[in-house]
Amino acid sequence: MRKIYLQTKTAHQMIYDFEDGHLNNIKYQNAEHLQVGDIVSGVVHQVDQRLKAAFVDIGQSDLAYLAFDQVYNGQVHKGERLILQVERLATKTKKASVSSIIQLKSDALVYLPLENSINISNKLNTDEQVQLKEKLDQIVDHGGVVARTVAGQFNFSELKEQYSHLKSKWDTVSRHYQSKGVILKEQNLFNQFLNGVSHSGVDKVIVDDLDKVQAFKQSFDHLRHLIQYDRQFYSNKPISITELYEQLSNRHVKLKNGAAITIDQTEALTAIDVDFGSFKDEASKHPPYLEINVEAAKESAKQIRNRNISGAIVIDFLNMKTKREQQMVMNVFREEAENDDVKVHVVGFTRLGMLEITRKRVNENVYQFLGVDERSLAKYDAFSYKELEENLLVYEANPDVDCVLVEVEPHQIVNWKAMIEKIAYRHRFHFECYIGQNNSLHAPYKLYKIGDVNWLLSRQEEGQLNIDKVF
C-alpha cells in the first residue's frame, strides 16, 4: 500500500512517500529559502573586472555571484538593477550564483523571454522538427522558445496553453521588477512531485490544508479521487520531524540483511563505508561479499537521494575480487539512482576499489534543511523551531486546547518569542500562547497544553509563574 503525505502549511514543506509502511522517498524545501530556478530582482553592489564577475544584492544575507558570461551583453555597472535567476545555492565557502539568462520551463517548452529564436530538440527527427517549428511559429509572439524532446507529444492547443502560461509568469516578473528579492518561486515542490505520480500505484494522497486539497484536485484530475484532507494531519502522519532527524541524520544505517553502511560528511566529499554489522551466515564458510555489496549499493543510492547529498561521493564496498562483481554492483546502484530527480553520475571504481559518484547540487541537503550540524549532528535552534511549529499544529486541530505555555531558558526568551510570533502569523491559531522562563530545562524548550487559561493566569497572579502573552 502506498500513501503520500503532503505537508504544505509549515515553513518547512515536506512530501513523505510511504510504501507498505516504510518511508521510500522524501522531498523537502524551506518555503522561505532560495531555491534553484527562483527569479529574483537585485542591484549590482560591486563589479570586479579581474574576476570578470559582479556581486549582486538580491535581498539575502550575502551577495550573489554573477559571472559576466551569464549576462547578455557581457557587462554590468554598479547600481544597475537586474532580473536574475538562481543557478546555484550558496555553500559555506561559496556564494549563490545567479544568471540574467532567464529560463521558464514547462513540460514541453523552455521560454527565454529576453531572446527571440525558436529552437527544437535535435533528438527529434527532421519531420518532427519541421512540424513542431510550424506550430511554434504560429504560437510564439514574444521572446524565444526551446522545444523539449517531449514537445512532439503535445498538440497545438496544449503547446499554446503552455506558452501562454510561461509568458504570463514573465509578465508577473516584469511588473515586480523594482522589488528587491524573490519575485517568483519557479519550482513548486508539490506540483513537480504530483506530475510524476501515477494513480495506479497510489492508494491515498493526504494533505494538511483544505484549500490545497481543492487546488491539487483541479490541477491533477487523475489523482482527484485519491486526494483527501486530514484535519489531524500532524497527529496522524507516520513520522514526526524528530523521528525523521533520527532516520536521516544517523551516520549508521542498518541493511535488511544485517550488514550496515556508515555515512560521513567532510568539506571535500561524502564517504560511505560498507561493513558486516550484525550480518551472520553460519551456513557459508566464505562471507557473501557480493550479496552485502548489492544491498549496500541499493541503500546508498536511496540515502543519497533522501538526504539530498551532493558533490563528490565515494563508496567503500567490501572486498570485490573481479571486474564482473564491480560491474554488477555498479549496475545495481545505477538502477536505484534512476529514481532520483537529480542527475547522478557514476564515474566508476577507482584504483583503490572505491566507487566514485558525483551528484548535482540543487537544493539544501537534509542536514541544512532540518537545522543540524553536518559533522557533529547536533541540532541548531532552527530544528527546535520546526519541531515546535508541528507541535502547535497538533494542538490547533484540538478544539479543547484553550492555551499553551512554552518554557525556554531566560537568555533565549527574546529569540523564541520572535520565532513564535512568526509561526503564529503564518497559522492564526485558535488558542492563546504564553512564554515563560525555566532555568532547569534539559531541552531547548518545553511545551505545555493548558485546558483553562484562567488557571494559568491565576498562577501568574499568585507569583508562581513569570509569563508573557505571545498571542
Side-chain angles (χ1 to χ4, degrees):
M1 177 175 283
R2 185 182 178 193
K3 291 184 180 180
I4 296 170
Y5 294 80
L6 306 184
Q7 183 173 320
T8 68
K9 292 174 71 172
T10 52
H12 55 287
Q13 298 176 328
M14 311 189 76
I15 298 171
Y16 305 92
D17 190 349
F18 281 86
E19 197 150 2
D20 297 327
H22 298 287
L23 183 60
N24 185 53
N25 196 5
I26 182 167
K27 304 287 183 185
Y28 40 81
Q29 72 176 15
N30 192 315
E32 299 172 347
H33 288 186
L34 275 184
Q35 309 290 337
V36 171
D38 286 353
I39 309 294
V40 298
S41 176
V43 176
V44 177
H45 179 78
Q46 178 186 351
V47 177
D48 192 321
Q49 296 293 344
R50 181 178 56 85
L51 293 176
K52 293 187 175 5
F55 297 92
V56 187
D57 181 0
I58 58 171
Q60 300 293 307
S61 57
D62 197 6
L63 300 174
Y65 177 85
L66 172 64
F68 286 168
D69 62 9
Q70 292 299 307
V71 180
Y72 277 107
N73 62 7
Q75 289 290 332
V76 294
H77 60 266
K78 186 176 180 179
E80 183 179 358
R81 179 172 290 280
L82 301 168
I83 294 179
L84 304 163
Q85 189 161 34
V86 178
E87 293 286 304
R88 190 184 67 211
L89 299 182
T91 65
K92 290 180 181 178
T93 57
K94 293 182 179 179
K95 299 179 183 296
S97 294
V98 293
S99 170
S100 71
I101 303 170
I102 308 298
Q103 299 183 8
L104 301 175
K105 299 176 182 178
S106 68
D107 291 339
L109 305 173
V110 178
Y111 180 52
L112 306 167
L114 303 178
E115 298 186 16
N116 56 16
S117 60
I118 296 176
N119 296 291
I120 312 296
S121 168
N122 57 18
K123 292 182 180 179
L124 296 172
N125 64 44
T126 304
D127 289 343
E128 290 173 325
Q129 290 185 33
V130 170
Q131 291 173 16
L132 202 47
K133 180 70 163 58
E134 289 175 352
K135 291 177 184 177
L136 293 174
D137 280 337
Q138 298 176 58
I139 293 170
V140 178
D141 57 12
H142 176 273
V145 161
V146 176
R148 307 171 103 164
T149 305
V150 296
Q153 302 172 18
F154 293 84
N155 61 37
F156 182 88
S157 297
E158 291 168 333
L159 291 171
K160 186 175 182 179
E161 183 180 352
Q162 289 190 32
Y163 170 77
S164 298
H165 178 65
L166 295 175
K167 187 180 173 186
S168 174
K169 276 188 176 183
W170 177 247
D171 290 342
T172 301
V173 169
S174 300
R175 286 196 299 271
H176 295 86
Y177 175 66
Q178 294 296 329
S179 305
K180 186 170 71 175
V182 178
I183 301 175
L184 177 69
K185 300 290 288 183
E186 173 62 2
Q187 302 293 339
N188 185 306
L189 177 73
F190 304 103
N191 288 356
Q192 268 191 330
F193 181 82
L194 292 176
N195 264 329
V197 173
S198 169
H199 68 88
S200 60
V202 179
D203 297 278
K204 290 181 182 179
V205 178
I206 303 163
V207 188
D208 64 346
D209 184 86
L210 193 56
D211 291 336
K212 288 289 193 304
V213 166
Q214 300 308 319
F216 290 146
K217 284 185 175 182
Q218 288 178 4
S219 299
F220 304 98
D221 191 61
H222 68 293
L223 299 174
R224 172 179 287 273
H225 62 294
L226 301 174
I227 299 172
Q228 56 187 254
Y229 169 63
D230 183 2
R231 178 177 170 79
Q232 305 289 336
F233 180 94
Y234 291 90
S235 299
N236 294 338
K237 66 174 181 160
I239 188 169
S240 69
I241 193 167
T242 304
E243 291 167 331
L244 186 69
Y245 159 79
E246 291 167 356
Q247 274 195 31
L248 293 185
S249 66
N250 197 330
R251 289 179 62 239
H252 305 288
V253 179
K254 191 172 182 179
L255 307 182
K256 293 176 183 177
N257 56 21
I261 60 174
T262 302
I263 304 170
D264 286 308
Q265 300 265 107
T266 71
E267 286 288 344
L269 53 78
T270 299
I272 301 177
D273 183 58
V274 183
D275 62 68
F276 282 104
S278 59
F279 180 88
K280 290 182 180 178
D281 187 1
E282 297 175 358
S284 174
K285 292 182 180 180
H286 303 288
Y289 295 120
L290 185 59
E291 177 188 336
I292 294 173
N293 287 334
V294 165
E295 188 64 33
K298 290 179 184 176
E299 188 62 33
S300 294
K302 179 181 173 182
Q303 291 293 327
I304 289 167
R305 179 180 74 239
N306 285 346
R307 297 182 187 219
N308 203 16
I309 297 171
S310 58
I313 304 163
V314 293
I315 306 176
D316 189 7
F317 290 100
L318 295 175
N319 183 33
M320 282 187 287
K321 296 181 179 179
T322 68
K323 295 288 185 184
R324 177 179 168 274
E325 289 184 351
Q326 288 186 346
Q327 190 62 50
M328 286 178 65
V329 168
M330 202 155 49
N331 289 344
V332 168
F333 182 91
R334 280 199 178 103
E335 185 177 347
E336 182 64 32
E338 287 178 3
N339 297 318
D340 201 328
D341 296 335
V342 178
K343 184 178 180 180
V344 179
H345 175 54
V346 180
V347 180
F349 279 90
T350 68
R351 283 186 288 181
L352 294 176
M354 297 182 186
L355 183 60
E356 184 181 351
I357 301 143
T358 62
R359 185 173 183 269
K360 185 179 178 182
R361 186 173 193 269
V362 177
N363 291 316
E364 295 175 310
N365 63 34
V366 74
Y367 310 96
Q368 296 161 338
F369 171 76
L370 289 176
V372 176
D373 186 271
E374 294 184 31
R375 294 187 182 180
S376 69
L377 304 181
K379 301 172 187 173
Y380 297 130
D381 288 343
F383 176 85
S384 300
Y385 297 152
K386 291 178 175 68
E387 186 181 51
L388 176 64
E389 184 176 15
E390 291 198 11
N391 287 335
L392 290 175
L393 284 166
V394 170
Y395 292 150
E396 173 62 16
N398 184 350
D400 295 330
V401 177
D402 198 16
C403 78
V404 299
L405 171 64
V406 182
E407 285 189 339
V408 300
E409 294 179 348
H411 70 282
Q412 291 281 7
I413 197 162
V414 173
N415 293 338
W416 273 96
K417 189 172 182 180
M419 182 52 61
I420 294 170
E421 287 173 346
K422 188 175 181 179
I423 293 171
Y425 180 79
R426 185 180 299 118
H427 298 294
R428 308 295 185 186
F429 296 109
H430 74 269
F431 51 79
E432 296 179 3
C433 176
Y434 291 79
I435 191 168
Q437 302 177 23
N438 188 332
N439 284 306
S440 58
L441 284 177
H442 298 291
Y445 73 95
K446 193 167 181 62
L447 179 63
Y448 299 91
K449 176 181 70 174
I450 310 297
D452 183 1
V453 67
N454 293 322
W455 173 85
L456 185 68
L457 296 176
S458 66
R459 292 196 66 195
Q460 181 187 30
E461 290 174 2
E462 294 166 3
Q464 298 180 42
L465 288 174
N466 180 17
I467 57 175
D468 289 322
K469 186 176 181 180
V470 184
F471 61 83

